[in-house]
Amino acid sequence: MRAMVYRGPYKIRVEEKDIPKIEHPNDAIIRVTTGAICGSDLHLYHGMMPDTRVGTTFGHEFAGVVHQVGSSVQNLIPGDRVMVPFNVYCGSCWFCARGLYSNCHNVNPNATAVGGIYGYSHTCGGYDGGQAEFVRVPFADVGPSRIPDWMDEEDAVLLTDALPTGYFGAQLGDIVEGDTVVVFGAGPVGLFAAKSAWLMGAGRVIVVDHLDYRLEKARTFAHAETFNFAEYDDIVVHLKKQTDYLGADVVIDAVGAEADGNFLQHVTASKLKLQGGSPVALNWAIDSVRKGGTVSVVGAYGPIFSAVKFGDAVNKGLTLRMNQCPVKRQWPRLFEHIRNGYLKPNELVTHRIPLEHIAEGYHMFSAKLDNIIKPLIISATA
Amino acid sequence: MTEPATPYRARKNTPPESRDALRARIPGWGVDLDPKDRPSFPREQPGIETGAHWEFPDRQPETQPRELSIEHAMLTPVFGTSAPLKGASGAIRRYAYRTYSEGRAAHWLLLIAADRVDAWENHLKSLATLRPDNPVTETGIGIGSEFSGNGFKSRAGKRVDVNHSWMDPAIVAGLWVLAGVGAVAALRALRGRR
């Protein structure tokens, strides 16, 4: 089969690989029809995430057709069209039994601090991802769902991470009616978080980024007020002024490891890999939320320490909430919202790139060329 | 005197937009107003239905020694097999996993260092194959990105990340150059001592 293969920082190519095999009785092999590149794949691509090994295939957002199932699989048969949440999880451990699917303890021998994620380095379990023609899906009775007949496959792919993570980010903010919500980052997750904040009753939604074309999307897609932080000396002061000098009630960090906007933090984190991520967005969130407010973090950070302004969080009495999204818990409600027309995920898709050209797709997404927001990867077997 | 700003008194200066105005403007405004309508509420729900029909999963066979965090009591029943440990990078990774817990900086810094060694190992190895690494196609700077559509053009104009285009190579390569200069200076100093 053809598969994207990591060759080192900023280098990938498409190679011939063996079709994955059933390695556990509850495995399924999925023939991928549509995948995606996620913003957090860029952290792998840039060499930010520890134990990202040459030869691995990335991709945790994908949908396809069941090709083969293991002997204990009861809920899927070959030929089913399925969408697969980015979490690999067993469904029965202490954490899964409580709905914390992203914190599963049975799928990642490399770490206890994070669960399993497809194509997201050995730190997340060493699973190959879906930027390939075929992918191994463990616990096929637990993770994947059949794509409903009425659902567009592109919407299904966005439901495997970007949309549920954005929605989850808004939910972690514990928004109450009338809250002012600030979202840092106007990528797909930030845009979905902004949109979801309205569903939860926000009174005002503000999106902050430094790319004008993404802020334009935040205005049209997510009905948000927008600020380009590069146009202000100090975005935190500006946000304070915008919120009657109180600060926002809720701030969502949808940026994560490679936040720009502070030279020193950016160099020590993104360039020198001496921090688990550049915490610029997180620190701005801590600074611009009101006292007693909530900061929700859904941006991806690596496991190494980061220079976070924790003292301010303590002194302001903040609630900090964060996690990888337990995707499948979000699906029934999000399916309803899509059917009702409140959410239209595939409006964010800007590029559809053949698997063979995925290196160019990564470069475009990384360098933010051609007004890219969400690139999908189309498999040759689609 | 102008009205004092909000933090100095209890009432907000700017009244919020009304429910009706928000409903008219935003499709679906407030449909998840009640936290109980939000899917991950409450955060932990004991006894949740997951589709698992096992109490403890069957165990995936360990066909070759699999590294694991020393914070785990045992090898997890299921694991990825995408790139087993090998070479010098494998030795560094094995050492990091065997020696340090996830709480230790050394664990992660060794793994990051091993990643760089891995990339170089494989780059050198590729030179001895029929398909050596190709810096142009593998970094994606091909016809399909920079030079077609709005690729190159979109770097120009009011883009704030334009600075990265020239600054990043200097920051990244500059460190290697500095490390090289440092290594040469250290070698010279050592030779001088002899």
Side-chain angles (χ1 to χ4, degrees):
Chain A
M1 67 161 185
R2 305 293 285 166
M4 166 275 174
V5 165
Y6 176 68
R7 298 290 304 167
Y10 294 89
K11 288 193 300 178
I12 57 175
R13 69 186 187 195
V14 177
E15 275 181 14
E16 203 60 38
K17 265 183 139 176
D18 291 338
I19 293 178
K21 291 188 205 60
I22 302 280
E23 297 183 51
H24 179 273
N26 210 256
D27 281 358
I29 305 300
I30 308 289
R31 177 168 60 80
V32 179
T33 47
T34 310
I37 308 177
C38 174
S40 49
D41 285 333
L42 296 179
H43 308 326
L44 298 173
Y45 178 65
H46 297 156
M48 292 287 296
M49 194 70 185
D51 214 356
T52 302
R53 301 181 190 173
V54 170
T56 56
T57 296
F58 298 167
H60 53 267
E61 296 181 306
F62 58 92
V65 177
V66 177
H67 173 69
Q68 192 187 354
V69 292
S71 58
S72 92
V73 174
Q74 299 176 1
N75 299 338
L76 295 179
I77 54 168
D80 284 345
R81 278 176 76 226
V82 290
M83 50 207 274
V84 183
F86 77 82
N87 325 102
V88 184
Y89 64 104
C90 74
S92 65
C93 69
W94 202 95
F95 303 97
C96 287
R98 286 155 181 80
L100 300 169
Y101 305 152
S102 43
N103 308 109
C104 176
H105 215 65
N106 274 340
V107 292
N108 179 8
N110 297 76
T112 58
V114 61
I117 301 177
Y118 294 98
Y120 212 73
S121 83
H122 271 67
T123 293
C124 296
Y127 297 91
D128 268 335
Q131 289 165 5
E133 288 179 334
F134 293 88
V135 61
R136 170 194 171 209
V137 171
F139 297 116
D141 282 332
V142 170
S145 273
R146 284 191 195 86
I147 301 175
D149 290 337
W150 53 268
M151 191 183 284
D152 183 272
E153 180 156 312
E154 292 188 350
D155 283 345
V157 172
L158 289 169
L159 274 161
T160 61
D161 179 0
L163 170 56
T165 298
Y167 186 93
F168 186 62
Q171 180 175 311
L172 290 180
D174 285 333
I175 294 165
V176 298
E177 185 172 352
D179 271 357
T180 296
V181 179
V182 168
V183 180
F184 281 106
V189 169
L191 294 169
F192 283 131
K195 189 105 174 158
S196 305
W198 291 122
L199 302 182
M200 296 174 197
R204 199 174 166 198
V205 177
I206 297 169
V207 174
V208 179
D209 198 283
H210 64 154
L211 297 169
D212 285 330
Y213 76 91
R214 301 211 303 185
L215 291 170
E216 169 63 23
K217 199 75 179 175
R219 288 190 289 275
T220 54
F221 174 81
H223 311 281
E225 293 168 61
T226 59
F227 298 117
N228 183 332
F229 69 75
E231 290 171 7
Y232 300 93
D233 277 347
D234 187 334
I235 188 66
V236 171
V237 173
H238 180 69
L239 287 169
K240 287 278 169 66
K241 286 181 182 168
Q242 283 293 318
T243 51
D244 293 339
Y245 291 89
L246 272 171
D249 299 292
V250 175
V251 181
I252 301 168
D253 168 4
V255 179
E258 296 186 83
D260 217 323
N262 174 314
F263 183 74
L264 194 65
Q265 292 272 32
H266 185 78
V267 169
T268 55
S270 300
K271 298 292 176 278
L272 303 184
K273 331 289 183 209
L274 294 175
Q275 296 192 55
S278 158
V280 176
L282 182 52
N283 285 336
W284 281 351
I286 289 169
D287 285 331
S288 54
V289 75
R290 70 166 167 83
K291 285 176 252 192
T294 302
V295 173
S296 153
V297 188
V298 283
Y301 288 88
I304 310 176
F305 42 76
S306 297
V308 176
K309 300 181 70 176
F310 195 67
D312 284 351
V314 173
N315 293 331
K316 289 177 76 172
L318 303 186
T319 301
L320 306 181
R321 294 195 66 190
M322 62 216 84
N323 203 353
Q324 298 280 354
C325 174
V327 170
K328 206 170 171 182
R329 260 181 98 174
Q330 322 295 311
W331 279 356
R333 190 69 176 159
L334 293 180
F335 285 13
E336 271 179 50
H337 289 338
I338 292 172
R339 280 205 108 163
N340 289 330
Y342 302 150
L343 295 168
K344 294 188 178 105
N346 71 359
E347 282 181 2
L348 288 191
V349 175
T350 50
H351 290 70
R352 293 164 182 85
I353 296 163
L355 178 61
E356 289 297 321
H357 297 165
I358 193 167
E360 284 152 11
Y362 265 88
H363 175 65
M364 289 173 84
F365 200 30
S366 168
K368 302 289 178 280
L369 302 177
D370 199 23
N371 292 349
I372 196 164
I373 289 181
K374 185 70 185 176
L376 295 188
I377 301 301
I378 311 300
S379 168
T381 64
Chain B
M1 189 188 143
T2 52
E3 280 279 279
T6 298
Y8 306 97
R9 59 199 180 98
R11 198 163 37 81
K12 276 196 179 181
N13 289 30
T14 318
E17 211 173 330
S18 76
R19 276 184 165 201
D20 290 341
L22 285 163
R23 278 209 185 97
R25 194 162 70 82
I26 317 278
W29 181 86
V31 290
D32 292 335
L33 201 49
D34 184 348
K36 290 195 182 69
D37 290 333
R38 301 175 192 172
S40 294
F41 176 88
R43 181 168 45 179
E44 295 179 16
Q45 264 179 37
I48 200 162
E49 250 329 296
T50 64
H53 42 86
W54 48 84
E55 197 183 318
F56 179 77
D58 288 335
R59 307 207 64 173
Q60 180 179 332
E62 185 185 8
T63 52
Q64 52 185 313
R66 177 64 160 82
E67 73 285 355
L68 83 157
S69 161
I70 56 174
E71 295 186 28
H72 264 300
M74 57 172 207
L75 184 65
T76 57
V78 166
F79 49 87
T81 53
S82 67
L85 297 175
K86 58 181 176 197
S89 58
I92 300 171
R93 285 172 178 140
R94 194 173 293 116
Y95 178 76
Y97 278 108
R98 275 202 192 142
T99 318
Y100 299 106
S101 76
E102 293 161 57
R104 304 280 291 275
H107 176 79
W108 301 111
L109 292 170
L110 278 169
L111 289 176
I112 283 273
D115 288 352
R116 303 292 100 85
V117 171
D118 189 14
W120 274 102
E121 271 180 326
N122 279 281
H123 178 56
L124 293 175
K125 213 186 284 173
S126 85
L127 298 178
T129 67
L130 290 174
R131 198 185 172 192
D133 281 346
N134 179 334
V136 176
T137 57
E138 290 178 13
T139 46
I141 310 174
I143 303 298
S145 50
E146 289 281 354
F147 304 109
S148 73
N150 285 318
F152 196 72
K153 206 169 122 196
S154 63
R155 275 191 193 270
K158 274 179 67 187
R159 295 279 300 273
V160 287
D161 55 342
V162 166
N163 276 341
H164 280 282
S165 308
W166 65 268
M167 218 190 267
D168 286 0
I171 291 169
V172 175
L175 287 165
W176 286 100
V177 172
L178 277 178
V181 170
V184 170
L187 277 175
R188 276 194 185 158
L190 275 176
R191 241 185 245 164
R193 235 189 256 169
R194 278 183 206 159

